[in-house]
Amino acid sequence: MIPLLRSPETLSAFGESASDGVDTAMELLAHRHRRSVLQYLEDGDGSATLTELAVEIAAREAATDPNAISDHGDVSARDRRSARISLHHTHIPKLAAADVIDYESETETVTLAERGRTLLERDDAIRGLGNVE
């Protein structure tokens, strides 16, 4: 049976070898939620809670902005919960396994690591190639 998803443990920290590094970087950048997490951390102070990231992801998916009355804008609790589950079970473990973020499970705090900044530079380079979103 062919596995549908690669487990985070199969991801190498990019930079170990040229081909492994490129493959890992491309896989990490392949999903918009992982790109959004990294960009949110970079644009902020480099650290955020899982809840803050879930709100940001859900807001981006709904194409809404948080407003002054509510930090959640028009994003439903269901959408925030869905984003949080996806981050917790899939995206945060993949990013942490590749050493691009640090995740503190007790406080549910995600911090951008130096490798994450390097990965964002690669993302910028890819976007510079043309009409890539």
Side-chain angles (χ1 to χ4, degrees):
M1 172 184 255
I2 299 173
L4 297 176
L5 294 173
R6 292 177 59 192
S7 68
E9 293 79 26
T10 64
L11 295 173
S12 61
F14 65 92
E16 292 176 4
S17 76
S19 62
D20 288 345
V22 170
D23 290 345
T24 299
M26 291 298 130
E27 185 168 340
L28 291 172
L29 293 172
H31 199 283
R32 67 184 176 275
H33 289 179
R34 291 191 289 272
R35 292 189 308 268
S36 294
V37 165
L38 294 174
Q39 196 60 58
Y40 184 82
L41 294 172
E42 174 75 6
D43 292 345
D45 65 359
S47 183
T49 66
L50 190 58
T51 299
E52 291 169 335
L53 292 169
V55 168
E56 176 66 18
I57 297 295
R60 287 183 186 209
E61 290 291 310
T64 63
D65 289 322
N67 58 42
I69 296 171
S70 168
D71 289 342
H72 306 300
D74 294 330
V75 180
S76 72
R78 181 179 185 182
D79 291 341
R80 290 191 308 271
R81 183 173 187 273
S82 176
R84 182 182 170 82
I85 290 169
S86 174
L87 288 171
H88 179 74
H89 290 288
T90 303
H91 305 298
I92 297 301
K94 282 188 178 191
L95 293 169
D99 296 327
V100 298
I101 62 160
D102 294 315
Y103 180 64
E104 176 58 50
S105 60
E106 288 182 21
T107 61
E108 295 188 328
T109 302
V110 179
T111 306
L112 187 62
E114 190 56 41
R115 286 183 177 213
R117 295 182 201 290
T118 302
L119 189 60
L120 281 169
E121 291 170 7
R122 291 181 181 188
D123 183 46
D124 290 341
I126 292 167
R127 289 175 190 272
L129 294 174
N131 295 331
V132 178
E133 290 185 21

Coordinates of all heavy atoms in Angstrom, one line a residue, residues 7-93:
S7 N 5.0 11.1 6.5 CA 5.1 11.5 7.9 C 6.1 12.6 8.1 O 7.1 12.6 7.4 CB 5.3 10.3 8.8 OG 6.7 9.8 8.6
P8 N 5.9 13.4 9.1 CA 6.9 14.5 9.3 C 8.3 13.9 9.6 O 9.3 14.6 9.3 CB 6.4 15.2 10.6 CG 5.0 14.9 10.6 CD 4.8 13.5 10.0
E9 N 8.4 12.7 10.1 CA 9.7 12.2 10.4 C 10.5 11.8 9.2 O 11.7 11.7 9.2 CB 9.6 10.9 11.2 CG 9.0 11.1 12.6 CD 7.5 11.3 12.7 OE1 6.8 10.8 11.7 OE2 7.0 12.0 13.6
T10 N 9.8 11.7 8.0 CA 10.5 11.4 6.8 C 11.1 12.6 6.1 O 11.9 12.5 5.2 CB 9.6 10.7 5.7 OG1 8.6 11.6 5.4 CG2 9.0 9.4 6.3
L11 N 10.8 13.8 6.6 CA 11.3 15.0 6.1 C 12.7 15.2 6.6 O 12.9 15.2 7.9 CB 10.5 16.2 6.4 CG 9.1 16.2 5.8 CD1 8.3 17.3 6.4 CD2 9.1 16.3 4.3
S12 N 13.7 15.5 5.8 CA 15.0 15.9 6.3 C 15.0 17.4 6.5 O 14.3 18.1 5.9 CB 16.1 15.5 5.3 OG 15.9 16.1 4.0
A13 N 15.9 17.8 7.4 CA 16.1 19.2 7.6 C 16.8 19.7 6.4 O 17.8 19.1 6.0 CB 16.9 19.4 8.9
F14 N 16.2 20.6 5.7 CA 16.9 21.0 4.4 C 18.3 21.6 4.7 O 18.5 22.1 5.7 CB 16.0 22.0 3.6 CG 15.7 23.3 4.2 CD1 16.6 24.4 4.0 CD2 14.7 23.5 5.1 CE1 16.4 25.6 4.5 CE2 14.5 24.8 5.7 CZ 15.3 25.8 5.4
G15 N 19.1 21.3 3.7 CA 20.5 21.7 3.8 C 21.4 20.5 4.1 O 22.6 20.7 4.0
E16 N 20.9 19.3 4.4 CA 21.7 18.2 4.7 C 22.4 17.7 3.4 O 23.6 17.4 3.4 CB 20.9 17.1 5.3 CG 20.4 17.4 6.7 CD 19.5 16.3 7.2 OE1 19.3 15.3 6.6 OE2 19.0 16.5 8.3
S17 N 21.7 17.7 2.3 CA 22.3 17.5 1.0 C 21.6 18.4 0.0 O 20.4 18.7 0.3 CB 22.3 16.0 0.6 OG 21.0 15.7 0.1
A18 N 22.2 18.7 -1.1 CA 21.6 19.6 -2.1 C 20.2 19.1 -2.5 O 19.2 19.8 -2.5 CB 22.5 19.8 -3.2
S19 N 20.1 17.8 -2.9 CA 18.8 17.3 -3.5 C 17.8 17.2 -2.4 O 16.6 17.5 -2.5 CB 19.0 16.0 -4.2 OG 19.5 15.0 -3.4
D20 N 18.2 16.7 -1.2 CA 17.3 16.5 -0.1 C 16.8 17.9 0.4 O 15.6 18.0 0.7 CB 18.0 15.8 1.1 CG 18.2 14.4 0.9 OD1 17.6 13.8 0.0 OD2 19.0 13.8 1.7
G21 N 17.7 18.8 0.4 CA 17.3 20.2 0.8 C 16.2 20.8 -0.1 O 15.3 21.4 0.4
V22 N 16.4 20.7 -1.4 CA 15.5 21.2 -2.4 C 14.1 20.5 -2.2 O 13.1 21.2 -2.2 CB 16.0 21.1 -3.8 CG1 15.0 21.5 -4.8 CG2 17.2 22.0 -4.0
D23 N 14.2 19.2 -2.2 CA 12.9 18.4 -2.0 C 12.2 18.8 -0.8 O 10.9 19.0 -0.8 CB 13.2 16.9 -2.0 CG 13.7 16.4 -3.4 OD1 13.5 17.1 -4.4 OD2 14.2 15.3 -3.4
T24 N 12.9 18.9 0.3 CA 12.2 19.3 1.6 C 11.7 20.7 1.5 O 10.5 20.9 2.0 CB 13.2 19.1 2.8 OG1 13.6 17.7 2.9 CG2 12.6 19.5 4.1
A25 N 12.4 21.6 1.0 CA 12.0 23.0 0.9 C 10.7 23.1 0.1 O 9.8 23.8 0.4 CB 13.1 23.9 0.4
M26 N 10.7 22.4 -1.1 CA 9.6 22.4 -1.9 C 8.3 21.8 -1.3 O 7.2 22.3 -1.4 CB 9.8 21.7 -3.3 CG 10.8 22.4 -4.1 SD 10.2 24.0 -4.6 CE 11.6 25.1 -4.2
E27 N 8.6 20.7 -0.6 CA 7.4 20.1 0.1 C 6.9 21.0 1.2 O 5.7 21.1 1.4 CB 7.8 18.7 0.7 CG 6.7 18.0 1.3 CD 6.9 16.5 1.6 OE1 7.9 16.0 1.1 OE2 6.2 16.0 2.5
L28 N 7.7 21.6 2.0 CA 7.3 22.5 3.0 C 6.5 23.7 2.5 O 5.6 24.2 3.1 CB 8.5 23.0 3.9 CG 9.1 21.9 4.7 CD1 10.4 22.4 5.4 CD2 8.1 21.4 5.8
L29 N 7.0 24.2 1.3 CA 6.3 25.4 0.7 C 5.1 25.0 -0.1 O 4.4 25.9 -0.6 CB 7.4 26.2 -0.1 CG 8.5 26.8 0.6 CD1 9.5 27.4 -0.3 CD2 8.0 27.9 1.6
A30 N 4.9 23.8 -0.3 CA 3.8 23.3 -1.2 C 2.4 23.7 -0.7 O 1.5 23.9 -1.5 CB 3.9 21.8 -1.5
H31 N 2.2 23.8 0.6 CA 0.9 24.0 1.1 C 0.8 25.5 1.6 O 1.7 26.0 2.3 CB 0.6 23.1 2.3 CG -0.9 23.0 2.5 ND1 -1.6 24.0 3.2 CD2 -1.8 22.1 2.2 CE1 -2.9 23.7 3.3 NE2 -3.0 22.5 2.7
R32 N -0.3 26.2 1.2 CA -0.5 27.6 1.6 C -0.5 27.8 3.1 O -0.1 28.9 3.5 CB -1.7 28.1 0.8 CG -3.0 27.6 1.3 CD -4.1 28.2 0.5 NE -5.4 27.6 0.9 CZ -5.8 26.4 0.4 NH1 -5.1 25.7 -0.5 NH2 -7.0 25.9 0.8
H33 N -1.0 26.9 3.8 CA -1.1 27.1 5.3 C 0.3 27.2 5.9 O 0.6 28.0 6.8 CB -1.8 26.0 6.0 CG -3.3 26.0 5.7 ND1 -4.2 25.1 6.2 CD2 -4.1 26.9 5.0 CE1 -5.4 25.4 5.8 NE2 -5.4 26.4 5.1
R34 N 1.2 26.3 5.4 CA 2.6 26.4 5.9 C 3.3 27.7 5.5 O 4.0 28.3 6.3 CB 3.4 25.2 5.5 CG 2.9 23.9 6.1 CD 3.9 22.7 5.9 NE 3.9 22.2 4.6 CZ 3.1 21.3 4.1 NH1 2.2 20.8 4.9 NH2 3.2 20.9 2.9
R35 N 3.0 28.1 4.3 CA 3.6 29.4 3.8 C 3.0 30.6 4.7 O 3.7 31.5 5.1 CB 3.3 29.7 2.3 CG 4.0 28.7 1.4 CD 3.9 29.1 -0.1 NE 2.5 29.3 -0.5 CZ 1.8 28.3 -1.1 NH1 2.3 27.1 -1.2 NH2 0.5 28.6 -1.5
S36 N 1.7 30.5 4.9 CA 1.0 31.5 5.7 C 1.6 31.6 7.2 O 1.8 32.7 7.7 CB -0.5 31.3 5.8 OG -1.0 31.5 4.5
V37 N 1.8 30.4 7.8 CA 2.4 30.4 9.1 C 3.8 31.1 9.1 O 4.0 32.0 10.0 CB 2.5 28.9 9.6 CG1 3.5 28.9 10.8 CG2 1.2 28.3 10.0
L38 N 4.6 30.7 8.2 CA 6.0 31.3 8.1 C 5.9 32.8 7.9 O 6.6 33.6 8.5 CB 6.8 30.6 7.1 CG 7.1 29.1 7.3 CD1 7.8 28.5 6.1 CD2 7.9 29.0 8.6
Q39 N 5.1 33.2 7.0 CA 4.9 34.6 6.7 C 4.4 35.4 7.9 O 4.9 36.5 8.2 CB 4.1 34.9 5.4 CG 4.3 36.2 4.8 CD 5.7 36.5 4.4 OE1 6.3 35.8 3.6 NE2 6.3 37.6 5.0
Y40 N 3.4 34.9 8.5 CA 2.8 35.5 9.7 C 3.9 35.7 10.8 O 4.0 36.8 11.4 CB 1.6 34.7 10.2 CG 0.9 35.4 11.4 CD1 0.0 36.3 11.2 CD2 1.2 35.0 12.7 CE1 -0.7 36.9 12.3 CE2 0.5 35.5 13.8 CZ -0.4 36.5 13.5 OH -1.1 37.1 14.6
L41 N 4.7 34.7 11.0 CA 5.7 34.8 12.0 C 6.8 35.8 11.6 O 7.2 36.6 12.5 CB 6.4 33.4 12.3 CG 5.5 32.3 12.9 CD1 6.2 31.0 12.8 CD2 5.1 32.7 14.3
E42 N 7.1 35.8 10.4 CA 8.1 36.7 9.9 C 7.6 38.2 10.0 O 8.4 39.1 10.4 CB 8.5 36.4 8.4 CG 9.4 37.4 7.8 CD 10.9 37.3 8.2 OE1 11.2 36.4 9.0 OE2 11.7 38.2 7.8
D43 N 6.4 38.4 9.6 CA 5.8 39.8 9.7 C 5.6 40.3 11.1 O 5.6 41.5 11.3 CB 4.5 39.8 8.9 CG 4.6 39.6 7.4 OD1 5.8 39.7 6.9 OD2 3.6 39.3 6.7
G44 N 5.4 39.3 12.0 CA 5.2 39.7 13.4 C 6.5 39.7 14.1 O 7.6 40.1 13.6
D45 N 6.5 39.4 15.4 CA 7.7 39.4 16.2 C 8.4 38.0 16.2 O 9.3 37.8 17.0 CB 7.4 39.8 17.6 CG 6.5 38.8 18.4 OD1 6.1 37.8 17.8 OD2 6.2 39.1 19.6
G46 N 8.0 37.1 15.3 CA 8.7 35.9 15.2 C 8.1 34.8 16.0 O 8.6 33.6 16.0
S47 N 7.0 35.1 16.8 CA 6.4 34.1 17.6 C 4.9 34.3 17.7 O 4.5 35.5 17.6 CB 7.0 34.3 19.0 OG 6.5 33.3 19.9
A48 N 4.2 33.2 17.8 CA 2.7 33.3 17.9 C 2.2 32.1 18.5 O 2.8 31.0 18.5 CB 2.1 33.5 16.5
T49 N 1.0 32.2 19.1 CA 0.3 31.0 19.6 C -0.4 30.2 18.5 O -0.7 30.8 17.4 CB -0.7 31.3 20.7 OG1 -1.8 32.0 20.1 CG2 -0.1 32.1 21.8
L50 N -0.7 29.0 18.8 CA -1.4 28.2 17.8 C -2.8 28.8 17.5 O -3.2 28.8 16.3 CB -1.5 26.7 18.3 CG -2.1 25.7 17.4 CD1 -1.2 25.6 16.1 CD2 -2.2 24.3 18.1
T51 N -3.4 29.3 18.5 CA -4.7 30.0 18.3 C -4.6 31.2 17.4 O -5.4 31.4 16.5 CB -5.3 30.4 19.7 OG1 -5.5 29.2 20.5 CG2 -6.6 31.1 19.5
E52 N -3.6 32.0 17.6 CA -3.4 33.2 16.7 C -3.1 32.8 15.3 O -3.7 33.4 14.4 CB -2.1 34.0 17.2 CG -2.4 34.7 18.5 CD -1.1 35.3 19.1 OE1 0.0 34.8 18.8 OE2 -1.2 36.3 19.9
L53 N -2.4 31.7 15.1 CA -2.1 31.2 13.7 C -3.4 30.7 13.1 O -3.6 30.9 11.9 CB -1.0 30.2 13.8 CG 0.4 30.7 14.1 CD1 1.3 29.5 14.4 CD2 0.9 31.6 13.0
A54 N -4.2 30.0 13.9 CA -5.4 29.4 13.4 C -6.4 30.5 12.9 O -7.0 30.4 11.9 CB -6.1 28.5 14.4
V55 N -6.5 31.6 13.7 CA -7.3 32.7 13.4 C -6.8 33.3 12.1 O -7.6 33.6 11.2 CB -7.4 33.8 14.5 CG1 -8.0 35.1 14.0 CG2 -8.1 33.2 15.7
E56 N -5.5 33.5 11.9 CA -4.9 34.1 10.7 C -5.2 33.2 9.5 O -5.6 33.7 8.5 CB -3.4 34.3 10.9 CG -2.7 34.8 9.7 CD -3.1 36.2 9.3 OE1 -3.7 36.9 10.1 OE2 -2.8 36.6 8.1
I57 N -5.0 31.9 9.6 CA -5.2 31.0 8.5 C -6.7 31.0 8.1 O -7.0 31.1 6.9 CB -4.8 29.5 8.9 CG1 -3.3 29.5 9.2 CG2 -5.2 28.5 7.8 CD1 -2.4 29.7 8.0
A58 N -7.6 30.9 9.1 CA -9.0 30.9 8.8 C -9.5 32.2 8.2 O -10.3 32.3 7.2 CB -9.8 30.7 10.1
A59 N -8.9 33.4 8.6 CA -9.2 34.7 8.1 C -8.8 34.7 6.6 O -9.5 35.3 5.7 CB -8.6 35.8 8.9
R60 N -7.6 34.2 6.3 CA -7.1 34.2 5.0 C -7.9 33.4 4.1 O -8.2 33.7 2.9 CB -5.6 33.7 4.9 CG -4.6 34.8 5.4 CD -3.2 34.3 5.3 NE -2.3 35.2 6.0 CZ -1.1 35.4 5.6 NH1 -0.5 34.7 4.6 NH2 -0.3 36.2 6.2
E61 N -8.4 32.2 4.6 CA -9.2 31.3 3.8 C -10.6 32.0 3.5 O -11.1 31.8 2.4 CB -9.5 30.0 4.5 CG -8.2 29.1 4.6 CD -7.8 28.5 3.3 OE1 -8.7 28.0 2.6 OE2 -6.7 28.6 3.0
A62 N -11.1 32.7 4.5 CA -12.4 33.4 4.3 C -12.2 34.8 3.6 O -13.2 35.4 3.3 CB -13.1 33.6 5.6
A63 N -10.9 35.2 3.4 CA -10.6 36.5 2.8 C -11.2 37.6 3.6 O -11.8 38.6 3.0 CB -11.0 36.5 1.3
T64 N -11.1 37.5 4.9 CA -11.6 38.6 5.7 C -10.4 39.1 6.6 O -9.4 38.5 6.7 CB -12.7 38.2 6.7 OG1 -12.2 37.2 7.6 CG2 -13.9 37.6 6.0
D65 N -10.6 40.3 7.1 CA -9.6 40.9 8.0 C -10.2 41.1 9.4 O -11.4 41.4 9.5 CB -9.2 42.3 7.5 CG -8.4 42.3 6.2 OD1 -7.5 41.4 6.1 OD2 -8.5 43.2 5.4
P66 N -9.4 40.8 10.4 CA -9.9 41.0 11.7 C -10.2 42.5 11.9 O -9.6 43.3 11.2 CB -8.7 40.6 12.6 CG -7.9 39.7 11.8 CD -8.1 40.2 10.4
N67 N -11.2 42.8 12.7 CA -11.6 44.3 12.8 C -11.5 44.7 14.3 O -11.1 43.9 15.1 CB -13.1 44.5 12.3 CG -14.1 43.6 13.0 OD1 -14.0 43.5 14.3 ND2 -15.0 43.0 12.3
A68 N -11.8 45.9 14.5 CA -11.6 46.5 15.8 C -12.5 45.9 16.9 O -12.2 45.8 18.1 CB -11.8 48.0 15.8
I69 N -13.7 45.5 16.5 CA -14.6 44.9 17.4 C -14.2 43.5 17.8 O -14.3 43.1 18.9 CB -16.1 44.9 16.8 CG1 -16.5 46.4 16.6 CG2 -17.0 44.2 17.7 CD1 -17.7 46.5 15.9
S70 N -13.8 42.7 16.9 CA -13.4 41.3 17.1 C -12.1 41.0 16.4 O -11.9 41.3 15.3 CB -14.6 40.4 16.6 OG -14.1 39.1 16.6
D71 N -11.3 40.3 17.1 CA -10.0 39.9 16.5 C -10.2 38.8 15.4 O -9.3 38.4 14.7 CB -9.1 39.3 17.5 CG -8.5 40.4 18.4 OD1 -8.6 41.6 18.0 OD2 -8.0 40.1 19.5
H72 N -11.5 38.2 15.4 CA -11.7 37.1 14.5 C -12.5 37.5 13.2 O -12.7 36.7 12.4 CB -12.5 36.0 15.2 CG -11.9 35.6 16.5 ND1 -10.6 35.0 16.5 CD2 -12.3 35.6 17.8 CE1 -10.3 34.7 17.8 NE2 -11.3 35.1 18.5
G73 N -12.8 38.8 13.1 CA -13.5 39.3 11.9 C -14.8 38.4 11.7 O -15.5 38.2 12.6
D74 N -15.0 38.1 10.4 CA -16.2 37.3 10.1 C -15.9 35.8 10.0 O -16.7 35.1 9.4 CB -16.7 37.8 8.8 CG -17.3 39.2 8.8 OD1 -17.8 39.6 9.9 OD2 -17.2 39.9 7.8
V75 N -14.9 35.4 10.6 CA -14.5 34.0 10.6 C -15.3 33.2 11.6 O -15.3 33.5 12.8 CB -13.0 33.8 10.8 CG1 -12.6 32.3 10.8 CG2 -12.2 34.6 9.8
S76 N -15.9 32.1 11.2 CA -16.7 31.3 12.1 C -15.8 30.5 13.0 O -14.7 30.2 12.7 CB -17.6 30.4 11.3 OG -16.8 29.3 10.7
A77 N -16.4 30.1 14.1 CA -15.7 29.3 15.1 C -15.3 27.9 14.5 O -14.3 27.4 14.7 CB -16.6 29.1 16.3
R78 N -16.2 27.4 13.6 CA -15.9 26.2 12.9 C -14.7 26.3 12.0 O -13.9 25.4 12.0 CB -17.1 25.8 12.1 CG -17.0 24.5 11.4 CD -18.2 24.1 10.6 NE -18.1 22.8 10.0 CZ -19.0 22.3 9.3 NH1 -20.1 22.9 9.0 NH2 -18.8 21.1 8.8
D79 N -14.6 27.4 11.3 CA -13.4 27.6 10.4 C -12.1 27.7 11.2 O -11.1 27.2 10.9 CB -13.6 28.8 9.5 CG -14.6 28.6 8.5 OD1 -15.0 27.4 8.2 OD2 -15.1 29.6 7.9
R80 N -12.2 28.4 12.4 CA -11.0 28.6 13.2 C -10.6 27.2 13.8 O -9.4 26.9 13.8 CB -11.3 29.6 14.4 CG -11.4 31.0 13.9 CD -11.4 32.0 15.1 NE -12.4 31.7 16.1 CZ -13.7 32.1 16.1 NH1 -14.1 32.9 15.2 NH2 -14.5 31.8 17.1
R81 N -11.6 26.4 14.2 CA -11.3 25.1 14.8 C -10.7 24.2 13.7 O -9.7 23.5 14.0 CB -12.6 24.5 15.3 CG -12.4 23.2 16.0 CD -13.7 22.6 16.7 NE -13.4 21.5 17.5 CZ -13.4 20.2 17.0 NH1 -13.7 20.0 15.7 NH2 -13.2 19.2 17.8
S82 N -11.2 24.2 12.5 CA -10.7 23.4 11.4 C -9.3 23.8 11.1 O -8.4 22.9 10.9 CB -11.6 23.6 10.2 OG -11.0 22.9 9.1
A83 N -9.0 25.1 11.1 CA -7.6 25.5 10.8 C -6.7 25.1 12.0 O -5.6 24.7 11.7 CB -7.6 27.1 10.7
R84 N -7.2 25.2 13.2 CA -6.3 24.8 14.3 C -6.0 23.3 14.3 O -4.9 22.9 14.5 CB -7.1 25.2 15.6 CG -6.3 24.9 16.9 CD -7.1 25.2 18.1 NE -6.5 24.7 19.3 CZ -5.5 25.3 20.0 NH1 -5.0 26.5 19.5 NH2 -5.0 24.8 21.0
I85 N -7.0 22.5 14.0 CA -6.8 21.1 13.9 C -5.7 20.7 12.8 O -4.8 19.9 13.0 CB -8.1 20.3 13.7 CG1 -8.9 20.4 15.0 CG2 -7.9 18.9 13.3 CD1 -10.4 19.9 14.8
S86 N -5.9 21.4 11.7 CA -5.0 21.2 10.5 C -3.6 21.6 10.9 O -2.6 20.9 10.6 CB -5.5 22.0 9.3 OG -4.6 21.9 8.3
L87 N -3.4 22.7 11.6 CA -2.1 23.2 12.0 C -1.5 22.2 13.0 O -0.4 21.8 12.9 CB -2.2 24.6 12.6 CG -2.5 25.7 11.6 CD1 -2.7 27.0 12.4 CD2 -1.3 25.9 10.7
H88 N -2.3 21.9 14.0 CA -1.8 21.0 15.1 C -1.4 19.7 14.6 O -0.3 19.1 15.1 CB -2.9 20.9 16.2 CG -2.4 20.1 17.3 ND1 -1.5 20.5 18.3 CD2 -2.8 18.8 17.7 CE1 -1.3 19.5 19.2 NE2 -2.1 18.5 18.8
H89 N -2.1 19.0 13.8 CA -1.9 17.7 13.4 C -1.0 17.5 12.1 O -0.5 16.4 11.9 CB -3.2 16.9 13.2 CG -3.9 16.7 14.5 ND1 -3.5 15.8 15.4 CD2 -5.0 17.2 15.0 CE1 -4.3 15.8 16.5 NE2 -5.2 16.7 16.3
T90 N -0.9 18.5 11.3 CA -0.2 18.3 10.0 C 0.9 19.4 9.8 O 2.1 19.0 9.7 CB -1.2 18.4 8.8 OG1 -2.2 17.5 9.0 CG2 -0.5 18.2 7.5
H91 N 0.5 20.6 9.8 CA 1.5 21.6 9.3 C 2.6 22.0 10.4 O 3.7 22.1 10.0 CB 0.7 22.9 8.9 CG -0.3 22.5 7.8 ND1 0.1 22.0 6.6 CD2 -1.6 22.6 7.8 CE1 -1.0 21.8 5.9 NE2 -2.1 22.1 6.6
I92 N 2.2 22.2 11.6 CA 3.2 22.5 12.6 C 4.2 21.4 12.8 O 5.4 21.6 12.9 CB 2.5 22.9 14.0 CG1 1.7 24.2 13.8 CG2 3.5 23.1 15.1 CD1 2.4 25.4 13.3
P93 N 3.7 20.1 12.9 CA 4.7 19.0 13.0 C 5.7 18.9 11.8 O 6.8 18.6 12.0 CB 3.8 17.7 13.1 CG 2.5 18.2 13.7 CD 2.3 19.6 13.1

